[in-house]
Amino acid sequence: KFMPPRFGPRPGPRGPGPVVLVAAAAGTGAGLMIASRRRPARVHHRYTDRVVVIRSGSGRNARIVCPRGIGPGQIIEICVEDQVYFVTVPQGVGPGQIFEVQLSEAPLPPTFSPAAAIVSDNHGVWSRVRYEHLQGAEQAWSRQSFFHASCLFVQSRTGSFSVFKEYGTSKAVEQIKHRFYNEFKHELFPELTPIPTVHVVSTAANVPSQPEQQQAISMSQPSAPPAPPSYETSVNTQGGDGAAGEFPPAYDSRHT
């Protein structure tokens, strides 16, 4: 059977068609729909024909042909320079018609890669392993011997854990859940364990001031006894009633 030769690249079912770059004047692409890099819930067609990329001052536009069987509101997947975009067919565009969309230059949103853990109870011998990514945990789960109870826990975006896969009797699985939530989770993921808050109570109001301390110290010490009075000896030379060497009577102003 004679097969005509093929000249130039042609689209095939296994990949997207070639990309043709065309320079355009500034201002081209105003008011166009924007092709997103976020994968939607459903894609209606994977574009395999040639994509014409028009570069302008405002960015890049893609010129494509509406595929057969695709209508307004449906989503087409295109590939431009090894980057995947998702295009929504605008209103009023039917199969075979050419339309343009603006390629989004925004970076891809960060993907959430949940952490995981596998806990097993081999007839009283417990094992628990932490995995940074769910993919690694699933690979390890596929190599399980399943001669004992095991549970695969996966982390959510809020930090909580739930059972993703389980194997064993209901009683053994419940025991694994209990030990994981109350013990193994804090051991395997210490960064998720809240730090207890320490409340510092000020005791400055109960500490007496320095003068009060000195007064308390002086009051606590016993008082010293009074000093004895000092007496002076005198000699009576006038021949009075008092004998020599005796102390004179107390002085009284009434005798003067």
Side-chain angles (χ1 to χ4, degrees):
K1 183 178 178 180
F2 174 74
M3 298 292 295
R6 295 183 178 181
F7 298 94
R10 296 182 61 184
R14 296 182 178 275
V19 177
V20 179
L21 302 179
V22 180
T28 303
L32 297 179
M33 298 188 66
I34 299 177
S36 175
R37 298 186 62 187
R38 184 187 297 271
R39 178 173 292 274
R42 181 181 179 184
V43 177
H44 299 89
H45 181 80
R46 186 171 183 266
Y47 196 78
T48 57
D49 294 337
R50 184 178 62 179
V51 179
V52 179
V53 177
I54 304 173
R55 296 188 182 274
S56 61
S58 60
R60 298 182 303 167
N61 301 335
R63 181 180 297 171
I64 59 179
V65 180
C66 183
R68 182 182 302 176
I70 300 299
Q74 294 183 324
I75 299 177
I76 304 172
E77 177 184 338
I78 64 174
C79 184
V80 178
E81 298 176 352
D82 297 331
Q83 294 182 356
V84 178
Y85 295 88
F86 301 95
V87 179
T88 302
V89 179
Q91 296 294 328
V93 176
Q97 294 183 350
I98 300 175
F99 66 98
E100 293 184 9
V101 293
Q102 185 177 356
L103 299 178
S104 174
E105 303 296 340
L108 282 173
T111 58
F112 174 69
S113 180
I118 295 179
V119 181
S120 301
D121 178 14
N122 187 3
H123 306 287
V125 180
W126 290 80
S127 63
R128 54 269 189 194
V129 182
R130 168 178 173 166
Y131 298 91
E132 300 298 333
H133 306 285
L134 178 60
Q135 182 179 3
E138 288 185 310
Q139 293 177 358
W141 181 268
S142 62
R143 297 190 296 266
Q144 291 280 98
S145 60
F146 297 112
F147 288 111
H148 48 268
S150 300
C151 288
L152 171 57
F153 298 89
V154 64
Q155 182 185 14
S156 64
R157 292 182 179 271
T158 58
S160 60
F161 284 84
S162 60
V163 178
F164 186 67
K165 295 181 180 181
E166 61 183 37
Y167 178 81
T169 62
S170 59
K171 182 178 180 181
V173 170
E174 289 300 324
Q175 189 175 3
I176 291 177
K177 293 180 182 178
H178 178 76
R179 291 204 63 180
F180 176 78
Y181 291 123
N182 293 277
E183 180 181 352
F184 297 148
K185 185 182 73 171
H186 308 292
E187 175 186 337
L188 298 175
F189 304 92
E191 67 276 8
L192 302 178
T193 304
I195 301 175
T197 304
V198 179
H199 299 280
V200 180
V201 180
S202 177
T203 58
N206 301 328
V207 178
S209 59
Q210 185 175 2
E212 295 177 353
Q213 292 180 353
Q214 295 178 355
Q215 182 180 2
I217 294 174
S218 61
M219 294 178 63
S220 61
Q221 295 179 353
S223 58
S230 58
Y231 298 97
E232 296 181 358
T233 58
S234 60
V235 178
N236 188 357
T237 58
Q238 302 295 331
D241 295 334
E246 295 182 354
F247 296 105
Y251 176 78
D252 193 350
S253 61
R254 291 175 298 179
H255 296 285
T256 56

